[in-house]
Amino acid sequence: MLEFRSFELEDKDLINSYLKNQNYRVSDLCFVNLYAWGKKFNTQFAVCDDWLFIRFKDNYGRNSYLKPIGEGDIKKGIELIIEDHKQFDTVFQIRGVTKDMIAEIEEAMPGVFDYKLNMSVSDYIYTSEKLINLKGKKLQSKRNHINRFKRENSWKYKTLTGNPQLVKECKSMLDKWMEINSDEKDPSLAYDDFATKIMLENFEYLGLKGGLICVDNEIAAFSIGEVLTEDTVVVHVEKAFTSIHGAYTIMNQQFVLNEAAEYKYINREEDMGVENLRKAKLSYQPDILLEKYNARFKE
């Protein structure tokens, strides 16, 4: 019987001891996202037989699991969550399953599951070289935005890494940003604010990377990320004042240039099914669209 409990800050090292051995490049599989968004999705975990199990509610309140993380027989891991799910009256589902994960599941349990693509939670991944240099005709508009930003503003990049006072100042900027965007109809905005504050308040403990853009000595944008796998950095948060032309574009570029240039890939997470966000992420021409599927029993 699996014993699930909510994520707490002090669980970081335990959770990371399992996650550090995977290389799926999936944004779901990092402690910061599991903990910071845990209240929204009622995310819980259990550890048993050298496996990490993660259980949560989807946007419709249905019980869901991530693929068990660990070493050994994945069939036994999946059988444990199937047994755990019997207490719920919703359909059994493993969400966020990549093609690599599907291959592992099918080898151990051939023909048991159907897999349905879920684009709203699929991850957008880019090479760091692309986001820094923005080469080519398709990214000309990005270069134009940055050039205009540099022409129109007296600006400076500052790293948040190792600078707790600047991290604290980002909380004030976040409050202003939320006030400006308070009339947005996106229901996840309040949770996003909550999760971002968790990251800022525990920046050093969580091992986060970050940077900000100052315009006339005022914070115009900031970004927060962390090392996800041996070759990938994930960007959790990016906030900018849209009243300053190009603030988002230069924040994107400068974060990668200053904080993540030595890593091959940058995972900028999913679009959550938000059309404007999807267009923005596609406009950077992702090198990998990391498709995620929902796995359910075949009927």
Side-chain angles (χ1 to χ4, degrees):
M1 184 72 178
L2 297 178
E3 296 183 8
F4 281 87
R5 64 181 178 88
S6 298
F7 285 83
E8 301 295 341
L9 202 56
E10 55 267 26
D11 294 319
K12 175 177 72 79
D13 291 342
L14 172 62
I15 301 304
N16 284 341
S17 71
Y18 287 89
L19 297 181
K20 70 180 181 181
N21 295 319
Q22 60 82 27
N23 197 33
Y24 295 115
R25 303 195 187 100
V26 175
S27 63
D28 311 295
L29 296 179
C30 68
F31 177 76
V32 171
N33 276 341
L34 294 168
Y35 173 66
W37 289 87
K39 290 191 182 299
K40 175 176 170 60
F41 297 108
N42 191 26
T43 310
Q44 299 178 317
F45 77 95
V47 173
C48 180
D49 295 336
D50 297 322
W51 287 97
L52 170 66
F53 301 96
I54 299 168
R55 187 175 77 186
F56 61 100
K57 303 292 186 184
D58 67 12
N59 287 326
Y60 300 97
R62 297 174 298 198
N63 185 60
S64 308
Y65 300 86
L66 295 182
K67 173 192 168 289
I69 299 297
E71 303 291 334
D73 186 354
I74 184 62
K75 182 179 180 181
K76 290 182 179 179
I78 292 176
E79 286 174 346
L80 284 171
I81 58 176
I82 290 172
E83 183 64 28
D84 178 76
H85 183 75
K86 289 179 180 178
Q87 64 186 290
F88 301 100
D89 60 1
T90 56
V91 63
F92 175 80
Q93 56 181 352
I94 308 174
R95 293 172 62 88
V97 182
T98 68
K99 289 180 178 178
D100 285 344
M101 294 178 187
I102 290 173
E104 293 175 29
I105 294 170
E106 284 299 299
E107 184 177 357
M109 306 174 70
V112 173
F113 298 106
D114 278 327
Y115 304 93
K116 183 177 181 181
L117 177 63
N118 187 348
M119 276 303 301
S120 66
V121 299
S122 297
D123 285 343
Y124 294 79
I125 300 177
Y126 314 81
T127 62
S128 56
E129 185 277 333
K130 171 178 282 183
L131 295 184
I132 292 169
N133 296 311
L134 301 168
K135 293 180 180 177
K137 186 176 180 180
K138 291 182 178 179
L139 296 175
Q140 177 68 54
S141 64
K142 307 299 182 187
R143 300 195 300 275
N144 291 343
H145 290 318
I146 288 175
N147 290 336
R148 177 177 166 183
F149 174 90
K150 290 180 176 179
R151 283 197 313 270
E152 294 181 349
N153 299 288
S154 174
W155 71 282
K156 183 180 291 187
Y157 177 89
K158 296 180 181 180
T159 184
L160 297 179
T161 312
N163 287 300
Q165 182 56 43
L166 288 181
V167 173
K168 188 180 295 185
E169 291 174 20
C170 285
K171 287 181 68 178
S172 298
M173 183 274 192
L174 177 63
D175 289 338
K176 294 177 185 176
W177 188 93
M178 283 296 297
E179 187 176 342
I180 291 170
N181 292 276
S182 61
D183 60 345
E184 289 285 337
K185 295 180 180 179
D186 182 0
S188 68
L189 199 60
Y191 287 103
D192 181 75
D193 179 53
F194 179 77
T196 302
K197 284 179 177 173
I198 285 177
M199 295 180 211
L200 290 171
E201 289 166 0
N202 302 282
F203 191 88
E204 296 294 331
Y205 178 76
L206 293 171
L208 296 169
K209 293 172 170 284
L212 60 79
I213 298 288
C214 276
V215 171
D216 297 328
N217 295 317
E218 295 286 336
I219 299 176
F222 73 87
S223 186
I224 299 172
E226 68 172 310
V227 178
L228 180 64
T229 68
E230 59 189 17
D231 64 359
T232 305
V233 166
V234 59
V235 177
H236 294 306
V237 175
E238 191 176 78
K239 300 295 184 194
F241 292 129
T242 55
S243 57
I244 302 173
H245 184 93
Y248 269 109
T249 316
I250 196 165
M251 185 70 260
N252 184 341
Q253 181 205 45
Q254 291 293 309
F255 172 83
V256 180
L257 175 63
N258 289 279
E259 311 295 335
E262 68 268 35
Y263 294 87
K264 184 174 182 179
Y265 294 111
I266 308 298
N267 183 326
R268 290 183 56 80
E269 301 190 339
E270 67 256 26
D271 60 38
M272 300 178 292
V274 179
E275 188 61 31
N276 287 342
L277 197 54
R278 179 169 295 179
K279 287 180 180 178
K281 291 179 186 286
L282 286 172
S283 72
Y284 274 94
Q285 307 296 313
D287 294 279
I288 301 171
L289 184 53
L290 189 61
E291 296 177 336
K292 298 181 194 173
Y293 296 76
N294 299 338
R296 296 182 178 179
F297 289 124
K298 285 189 173 179
E299 295 182 358

